[in-house]
């Protein structure tokens, strides 16, 4: 009944392909946010069990300050956020990407080769 809204493609596509064809990323505590931030697309953090996660695993940084998008704890909140997607503040993703992914500029291999050659 949701075929015009979303599809289940996890069995058919690699994660890299899923990132490229998705309009938004809905995740919890996954490191996928680093790669997805390079695409400069909206992210939502479905952290229904955030308090338990803090107790069991913890984080390097306070989760609420670290993630570059809204944290939702219920499906209803997530749906509300998706309905307001045009109001999404992409600047948080841009800042996140700049802070954590700035070396992903398409020249990493050149820098590695330059380093290796200069240290022979």
């Amino acid at each position: 009944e949701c075929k015009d809204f979303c599809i289940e493609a996890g069995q058919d596509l690699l994660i890299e392909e899923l990132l490229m064809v998705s309009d938004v990323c809905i995740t919890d505590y996954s490191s996928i946010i680093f790669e997805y931030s390079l695409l400069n697309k909206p992210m939502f953090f479905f952290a229904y069990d955030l308090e338990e996660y803090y107790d069991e695993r913890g984080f390097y940084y306070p989760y609420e300050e670290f993630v570059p998008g809204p944290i939702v704890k219920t499906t209803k909140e997530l749906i509300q956020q998706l309905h307001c997607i045009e109001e999404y503040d992409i600047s948080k993703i841009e800042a996140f990407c700049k802070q954590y992914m700035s070396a992903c500029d398409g020249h990493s291999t050149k820098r590695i080769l330059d380093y290796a050659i200069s240290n022979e």
Side-chain angles (χ1 to χ4, degrees):
E1 68 187 59
C2 295
K3 68 180 182 177
D4 293 331
F5 176 70
C6 64
I7 61 169
E8 170 61 51
Q11 303 293 333
D12 302 323
L13 298 173
L14 299 171
I15 189 67
E16 295 83 2
E17 295 168 321
L18 284 170
L19 293 177
M20 297 305 293
V21 299
S22 65
D23 295 318
V24 300
C25 178
I26 301 168
T27 187
D28 51 9
Y29 314 110
S30 171
S31 63
I32 198 71
I33 65 173
F34 293 97
E35 290 86 355
Y36 202 75
S37 72
L38 293 168
L39 301 173
N40 207 30
K41 295 180 185 179
M43 289 186 257
F44 298 96
F45 297 86
F46 190 47
Y48 63 91
D49 61 345
L50 183 57
E51 290 76 23
E52 292 86 11
Y53 199 89
Y54 264 118
D55 291 342
E56 293 176 19
R57 296 205 44 191
F59 297 97
Y60 292 112
Y61 305 104
Y63 188 74
E64 296 85 354
E65 296 170 22
F66 175 72
V67 296
I71 298 170
V72 295
K73 295 188 177 184
T74 67
T75 303
K76 185 176 181 177
E77 287 178 299
L78 177 60
I79 292 168
Q80 289 170 340
Q81 289 287 329
L82 289 169
H83 279 294
C84 299
I85 193 87
E86 65 279 348
E87 298 169 18
Y88 192 92
D89 182 7
I90 207 77
S91 67
K92 290 182 179 182
I93 293 180
E94 292 167 345
F96 180 90
C97 189
K98 184 176 181 179
Q99 180 173 355
Y100 295 102
M101 302 300 286
S102 61
C104 295
D105 60 1
H107 301 284
S108 298
T109 302
K110 180 183 181 321
R111 283 194 296 274
I112 291 169
L113 288 174
D114 290 347
Y115 178 80
I117 291 169
S118 68
N119 287 310
E120 283 187 19

